[in-house]
Amino acid sequence: MTQTEKHNNILQTDLLIVGAGPAGASLACFLAAHGRTGILIAAAPGTADTPRAHITNMAALECLRDIELEQECRLAGTDSKHMEHTRWCRSMAGEEFARVYSWGHDPKHKGAYETASPCDHIDLPQTLLEPILVKRATHAGWTVRFNTRYVRLSRPSPDVILSEVLDELTGQTYFIQSRYLFGCDGARSQVVRELQLPLIKKPGQGLALNVFVRADLSHLMENRSGNLHWVFNPEEEEYPVWGKECIVRMVRAWDEWMFIFLPQPGADLKADDMSATNDEYVARVKQVIGDENVEVTLLHASKWWINEVVAERYSDGGNVFCFGDATHRHPPFNGLGSNTCIQDAFNLAWKVDYVMSGKAGKQLLDSFDKERQPVGMDIVTRANQGLRDHYGWQKTLGLLEDDMEKTRKILAEFEDPGEKGRLRRKAFREGIENTTTEFHGLGIEMNQKYVSNAVYLADQGEAPPAPKDAVRTLQVTTYPGRRLPHAWLNTRVPGKKISTIDLAGHRRFCLLTGPGGQAWKDAVKAVGEKLGVEVVAFSIGWKQDYEDVYFDWAERREVEDDGCVLVRPDRFVAWRSRSVIEKPEVKLEEVLRNVLSL
């Protein structure tokens, strides 16, 4: 076939997504909610066959809630009650060294989690999440093609992308012409390579081994509830080089588990060193369980590198965008991976639709990189630090020692009733407490801050300072570029409660005001009609559209009764005014034109 004949074999679409994982499939769903469809391709033969990502946090669920997928995800996943603890133990059936509350279950932190969102964490393995997303996308009109590998791209003109793809089943290549291309094709992203996006790489932290098994541990879990369990035997002298320690992760309560094996901390191993026979994997799993009566069925085993990589930019500056694991690669600590993928997609979808609809200028798309790349940098840094945060307790137990005699002396100090034992036990407790940056990372999950052309800051003054503990501490603010605060509302005659989160979003702008703010509602209606942009407006307060029944909104809004908060379709604050002003229509038009690059 000649090159000319090849180019005659062209499919045409506005939107081409490469990769059907959480990033690509969620983008298809969010675009479909705007009435946009296209083609979604993936090199894989189908959705994920191993559970990989699993923690689904409040920020991601809010995005899925916006398109009415939250409930389906909740029904498919494991409820938060099974995520109550993270434990450190000698075996799953054996002695326990420590436990901490996790994912909002600590009584000291429950209030902050309830303040943060109307959603709760769930444990939703990737094997269950991806089918939900792909089903929604296909039912909404997207064409999904698995076994289809992305090869290369060319540009016949600045606004046209020609993508060469390979059908892995037939061995034939063909071409897809699109207006936009989205590279969501994972850590080995061909789209990132084609664009030659520069990657910021830091030295990795070695290799890990995932062993996915079926094993009924329900008889053990009544007094050991939790979805993460660190298992290790400090006195153990003989162990496989690939399996000094193990993180046992619940996949399905309580009969499917991922055993994540880690070598001796600091060990310099190659990929071949992490290989073993299936029988050897199962034998080690049984040792970690510690109950010889438990039957173990091996489902899958695979190695992975602990990376610390983020792309310097997420776009070519035009109509090609990359995100998800293609642009941020890191270990699973803090459970930030797929959650960030979904939020990347939610941020981008409304902007693409608004530009395609003529409601916004092309420069709006520049804000995607400016807003989401810093988030990617933060979560890659945090996830890798989350692993390093475990070195403290490992050191206090002697797990970092090469000499077993030194380890035994360290362990003996725990039994000492005197000063030496007190200091050793205190150091261990502090080491365990230090890991709560992973299990109570509400700040890193929810405190994203955007500074871009899609946020109006000209009249806002200085941003509020970050919390002292920016990883753990939730920051509630309506400063532009921050997440809209959640507050429960109701009607004057009580009905079903509703969150401020649910008033906003749904693919349109939203203005929130209060008593004395009718001028804002009138103005935003006029401006929306003038610009051809949908903006809804609600008044919250005494005898208004919604009642601030707990007075939480009054506490969190940071504006007066007659002020306003203008919220983008992705529920981030675009602008706010402390109080009503003269000529509100003029100001709102200025703000929306700036935010939308009109």
Side-chain angles (χ1 to χ4, degrees):
M1 183 182 291
T2 67
Q3 192 68 18
T4 301
E5 289 172 327
K6 282 184 179 181
H7 281 263
N8 287 332
N9 187 20
I10 297 175
L11 293 178
Q12 293 192 348
T13 185
D14 284 334
L15 306 167
L16 174 61
I17 300 174
V18 184
S26 66
L27 178 62
C29 292
F30 296 136
L31 286 167
H34 287 275
R36 302 287 175 186
T37 59
I39 299 174
L40 173 64
I41 66 170
T47 55
D49 60 354
T50 58
R52 301 198 288 275
H54 66 117
I55 299 292
T56 306
N57 67 27
M58 296 179 291
L61 280 173
E62 284 183 12
C63 300
L64 298 171
R65 182 186 184 98
D66 191 73
I67 58 171
E68 299 179 346
L69 273 182
E70 180 197 12
Q71 186 61 20
E72 186 172 352
C73 290
R74 300 193 72 81
L75 291 173
T78 299
D79 190 85
S80 174
K81 68 183 180 182
H82 294 305
M83 304 163 66
E84 183 181 10
H85 297 112
T86 296
R87 304 170 57 245
W88 288 261
C89 52
R90 194 179 297 273
S91 69
M92 290 296 287
E95 297 176 345
E96 182 174 289
F97 300 106
R99 67 171 65 187
V100 296
Y101 289 108
S102 301
W103 316 114
H105 288 278
D106 190 328
K108 298 191 296 292
H109 297 297
K110 281 185 177 181
Y113 277 76
E114 291 173 0
T115 297
S117 175
C119 305
D120 296 318
H121 285 73
I122 59 171
D123 195 305
L124 181 63
Q126 199 166 332
T127 42
L128 301 178
L129 172 62
E130 287 186 13
I132 291 172
L133 298 175
V134 171
K135 181 180 72 173
R136 166 62 69 88
T138 54
H139 287 186
W142 277 78
T143 297
V144 180
R145 295 189 172 194
F146 290 106
N147 292 298
T148 303
R149 182 164 57 85
Y150 194 86
V151 179
R152 65 179 61 88
L153 67 86
S154 60
R155 293 181 183 275
S157 66
D159 294 328
V160 176
I161 303 158
L162 193 63
S163 298
E164 182 179 350
V165 302
L166 171 66
D167 185 323
E168 299 272 19
L169 297 179
T170 66
Q172 294 185 339
T173 60
Y174 60 95
F175 294 84
I176 302 175
Q177 180 178 301
S178 63
R179 291 173 60 187
Y180 293 92
L181 171 66
F182 307 97
C184 310
D185 45 339
R188 299 180 181 87
S189 172
Q190 179 63 19
V191 180
V192 167
R193 282 195 290 267
E194 284 286 295
L195 292 183
Q196 297 183 330
L197 294 182
L199 301 175
I200 303 169
K201 297 182 179 181
K202 293 185 178 180
Q205 299 191 65
L207 279 160
L209 173 69
N210 283 356
V211 178
F212 179 31
V213 305
R214 183 175 295 115
D216 186 357
L217 304 186
S218 56
H219 63 295
L220 299 177
M221 301 313 297
E222 180 179 358
N223 300 311
R224 298 173 174 87
S225 63
N227 64 336
L228 292 171
H229 310 258
W230 278 81
V231 182
F232 53 90
N233 184 347
E235 297 95 342
E236 187 176 33
E237 295 192 61
E238 294 188 10
Y239 52 85
V241 67
W242 44 264
K244 170 67 173 175
E245 300 175 23
C246 185
I247 304 171
V248 182
R249 179 199 125 194
M250 176 196 71
V251 174
R252 185 177 67 187
W254 300 108
D255 63 352
E256 286 189 358
W257 302 85
M258 183 73 80
F259 286 68
I260 306 169
F261 287 104
L262 302 170
Q264 171 80 15
D268 183 18
L269 301 182
K270 296 179 174 59
D272 288 347
D273 297 325
M274 302 293 283
S275 298
T277 66
N278 289 349
D279 287 344
E280 288 171 326
Y281 289 145
V282 169
R284 187 56 173 168
V285 165
K286 287 185 174 182
Q287 285 181 313
V288 169
I289 293 172
D291 182 344
E292 62 184 17
N293 295 317
V294 173
E295 185 177 334
V296 175
T297 302
L298 178 67
L299 301 176
H300 191 269
S302 61
K303 302 178 283 285
W304 52 278
W305 291 97
I306 302 173
N307 289 317
E308 191 164 357
V309 179
V310 64
E312 284 188 11
R313 60 180 189 273
Y314 285 12
S315 172
D316 67 341
N319 49 358
V320 183
F321 302 88
C322 297
F323 62 95
D325 287 357
T327 55
H328 39 82
R329 307 164 195 173
H330 53 88
F333 294 86
N334 283 85
L336 298 169
S338 62
N339 294 293
T340 304
C341 296
I342 291 168
Q343 293 169 78
D344 286 343
F346 195 55
N347 178 285
L348 182 57
W350 76 270
K351 297 174 181 177
V352 170
D353 174 70
Y354 273 51
V355 171
M356 291 180 70
S357 301
K359 299 175 185 176
K362 289 184 179 180
Q363 291 77 17
L364 174 62
L365 296 173
D366 296 339
S367 67
F368 173 67
D369 182 77
K370 293 175 184 176
E371 293 178 353
R372 295 305 298 176
Q373 194 278 343
V375 173
M377 177 70 79
D378 286 347
I379 64 108
V380 167
T381 302
R382 174 61 242 155
N384 277 274
Q385 185 57 44
L387 175 55
R388 297 183 187 103
D389 284 345
H390 286 271
Y391 292 169
W393 64 262
Q394 291 173 337
K395 182 177 180 180
T396 65
L397 286 171
L399 292 172
L400 304 185
E401 300 291 342
D402 293 327
D403 185 342
M404 182 52 68
E405 196 56 42
K406 289 183 179 179
T407 299
R408 291 194 182 98
K409 288 181 179 178
I410 288 171
L411 292 172
E413 290 181 5
F414 280 89
E415 312 294 332
D416 189 311
E419 182 71 3
K420 187 177 291 187
R422 185 184 68 81
L423 291 175
R424 176 63 62 180
R425 293 187 294 272
K426 180 175 182 287
F428 177 64
R429 183 177 72 249
E430 290 173 346
I432 292 295
E433 289 173 349
N434 191 50
T435 68
T436 60
T437 52
E438 175 182 357
F439 312 117
H440 294 299
L442 196 53
I444 192 68
E445 291 179 15
M446 303 296 286
N447 291 352
Q448 293 89 352
K449 51 183 182 291
Y450 296 162
V451 179
S452 76
N453 52 306
V455 175
Y456 192 92
L457 295 170
D459 56 1
Q460 294 298 306
E462 286 190 23
K468 184 177 180 181
D469 187 344
V471 173
R472 292 183 179 94
T473 306
L474 175 71
Q475 185 172 43
V476 179
T477 179
T478 58
Y479 190 83
R482 307 302 175 87
R483 186 184 304 279
L484 174 68
H486 154 63
W488 286 118
L489 311 173
N490 214 312
T491 48
R492 190 73 171 179
V493 176
K496 184 178 181 181
K497 65 182 180 180
I498 186 171
S499 170
T500 49
I501 299 298
D502 296 320
L503 295 183
H506 307 294
R507 298 158 292 285
R508 72 276 199 274
F509 281 79
C510 175
L511 182 139
L512 301 178
T513 187
Q518 185 61 42
W520 291 117
K521 297 174 75 173
D522 295 339
V524 83
K525 180 181 178 182
V527 172
E529 290 175 354
K530 182 177 180 179
L531 300 181
V533 175
E534 184 181 4
V535 189
V536 295
F538 302 101
S539 185
I540 302 170
W542 185 265
K543 290 189 176 180
Q544 301 299 299
D545 300 323
Y546 291 94
E547 298 283 333
D548 185 15
V549 289
Y550 300 108
F551 308 113
D552 288 336
W553 177 243
E555 182 180 333
R556 298 167 190 170
R557 69 192 181 195
E558 297 181 326
V559 299
E560 299 297 334
D561 276 355
D562 61 355
C564 76
V565 179
L566 181 66
V567 187
R568 304 188 326 188
D570 60 355
R571 301 199 186 98
F572 275 72
V573 177
W575 175 74
R576 67 182 180 179
S577 177
R578 296 282 182 180
S579 58
V580 73
I581 60 174
E582 292 185 10
K583 300 180 180 179
E585 187 173 327
V586 173
K587 186 62 180 183
L588 281 169
E589 182 175 347
E590 176 191 344
V591 169
L592 279 169
R593 285 189 179 277
N594 274 270
V595 168
L596 294 172
S597 297
L598 291 172

